[in-house]
Amino acid sequence: MQVLHQLPHMKDRDLLVGVETADDAAVYRISEELALISTLDFFPPIVDDPYTFGQIAAANALSDVYAMGGAPRLAMNIVCFPKELALSVLNEIIKGSMDKLIEAGALLVGGHSIEDREVKYGLSVTGFVHPDRITTNSKARPGDVLVLTKPIGSGVIASALKAGRIDEVDAWDAISSMKALNRAAAEAAGEVGVNACTDVTGFGLLGHAMEVARASGVNLVIRSSGVRFFQAALDMVKKRSNRPRSIASNRAFLMKDTVLSGVNEAVELLLLDPQTSGGLLISVAGERSALLIEKLRARGVEPAIVGHVVPAEEGWRISVT
Ligand code: CO
Ligand code: CO
Ligand code: CO
């Protein structure tokens, strides 16, 4: 969220990643060999089924550790729950989350719950990474290729689900995608060695691409025909009431630095769509991009080449064609 960017900039020689570069998580060096990654995420339900919601919330919270190149190890529950609701609902949410944590090799070691009018659930996650293998927002270089590891459009689908305009069957590919860990993608990126990485969440593809561009001091060319969209999202976004409100705020925030040419309206809106548990946006040196694609595919991840990095130039940051 925007407010985080107004946090004071704390200085410490072992704080390797703080708030300055709008990265996904903080990274703190423990030794020459080991750094700790710290992050948290929580939100209200985006699907009706509590078990599925727990899975999505966990995959989403774990994702920031993967985006930094790390492996999650410890997790704690963050729970807001109304006293009128059956406790079995909460048990299902936590069961879904637990199953994802087990898949990730992370341990659930505690947490905190409060009474609230609306359900909210998430996790604080601690992970580890070798200090030399951290993937931040700030090292994308001209000549890099931009690779995205999940389709786009989950925000529109979540808002259509909430309004009852789509059922969970038609939304299934988006739901499966939101439940999927970014672990395989992060492992492939780690093996190949990439320059920058972030996960695509609330600011949408363009917003997170903008964070990479600004933090790295480069410009990005996004080729919208390369981006994969959920088919249901391409249909649903045409109806104004299915558009999450943050599409408009993301647009207001981004458009002064973004030039679009020949992009149709549905695609433009979806490039600004806030994602839940979105994929990794990876900036990899051109000559290593084929190897990255191959390693992603070998792990069952379907990558898309969505653009490339060019030297910084005045007047714009991102060009979308
Ligand atoms: Co993130
Ligand atoms: Co980010
Ligand atoms: Co996050």
Side-chain angles (χ1 to χ4, degrees):
M1 265 175 57
Q2 224 65 40
V3 285
L4 290 185
H5 294 201
Q6 286 156 25
L7 284 178
H9 291 184
M10 312 289 275
K11 288 273 175 244
D12 183 299
R13 78 186 176 88
D14 289 312
L15 182 61
L16 305 180
V17 179
V19 296
E20 289 84 352
T21 49
D23 264 294
D24 299 294
V27 185
Y28 189 83
R29 180 169 50 208
I30 296 169
S31 72
E32 291 306 308
E33 306 288 313
L34 191 68
L36 178 145
I37 304 174
S38 185
T39 180
L40 73 84
D41 251 303
F42 67 112
F43 47 64
I46 45 167
V47 289
D48 284 337
D49 177 55
Y51 178 81
T52 306
F53 170 55
Q55 289 182 298
I56 293 172
N60 180 71
L62 290 162
S63 175
D64 282 330
V65 174
Y66 293 127
M68 304 304 295
R73 197 66 193 117
L74 302 175
M76 292 203 195
N77 282 326
I78 302 164
V79 179
C80 303
F81 202 75
K83 62 172 181 295
E84 303 77 33
L85 213 56
L87 222 49
S88 59
V89 172
L90 181 56
N91 289 339
E92 280 298 299
I93 293 173
I94 292 174
K95 200 162 147 238
S97 173
M98 274 291 291
D99 283 350
K100 280 291 155 185
L101 291 170
I102 291 166
E103 186 186 335
L107 309 168
L108 186 66
V109 292
H112 188 72
S113 55
I114 60 163
E115 223 176 86
D116 197 359
R117 277 202 306 257
E118 189 187 23
V119 175
K120 297 174 199 78
Y121 178 77
L123 295 162
S124 80
V125 183
T126 302
F128 295 105
V129 63
H130 191 288
D132 298 340
R133 304 190 65 155
I134 302 165
T135 49
T136 64
N137 279 345
S138 60
K139 295 195 174 96
R141 290 190 209 115
D144 282 5
V145 168
L146 299 171
V147 176
L148 179 65
T149 66
K150 287 184 183 179
I152 291 288
S154 61
V156 166
I157 290 175
S159 105
L161 271 170
K162 203 158 208 165
R165 292 198 194 92
I166 184 174
D167 59 27
E168 294 192 3
V169 175
D170 290 329
W172 190 247
D173 53 349
I175 291 172
S176 319
S177 170
M178 288 189 278
K179 292 196 302 188
L181 295 180
N182 279 326
R183 177 182 187 163
E187 284 174 358
E191 265 181 38
V192 172
V194 303
N195 290 336
C197 180
T198 187
D199 59 348
V200 178
T201 54
F203 297 133
L205 177 58
L206 286 187
H208 290 279
M210 186 64 82
E211 289 179 338
V212 170
R214 285 182 181 151
S216 301
V218 295
N219 285 15
L220 306 183
V221 177
I222 303 283
R223 199 166 46 87
S224 61
S225 61
V227 180
R228 291 189 304 137
F229 299 99
F230 298 114
Q231 186 54 50
L234 282 166
D235 301 335
M236 309 297 299
V237 76
K238 290 177 185 145
K239 197 169 172 141
R240 199 172 291 268
S241 51
N242 288 331
R243 297 174 196 163
R245 254 178 309 186
S246 43
I247 287 185
S249 51
N250 286 345
R251 172 187 266 135
F253 176 66
L254 293 166
M255 280 312 163
K256 72 175 167 60
D257 289 335
T258 305
V259 258
L260 291 109
S261 54
V263 180
N264 78 50
E265 198 199 6
V267 166
E268 180 187 333
L269 290 166
L270 288 179
L271 294 175
L272 297 162
D273 183 43
Q275 303 300 286
T276 297
S277 190
L280 299 183
L281 176 65
I282 302 169
S283 189
V284 59
E287 66 271 18
R288 292 191 185 194
S289 60
L291 182 62
L292 176 64
I293 300 285
E294 185 190 311
K295 288 199 182 274
L296 287 167
R297 288 204 178 119
R299 285 176 164 83
V301 177
E302 238 185 278
I305 294 180
V306 298
H308 61 278
V309 182
V310 297
E313 201 182 297
E314 295 281 303
W316 60 284
R317 270 287 180 205
I318 295 182
S319 161
V320 188
T321 60

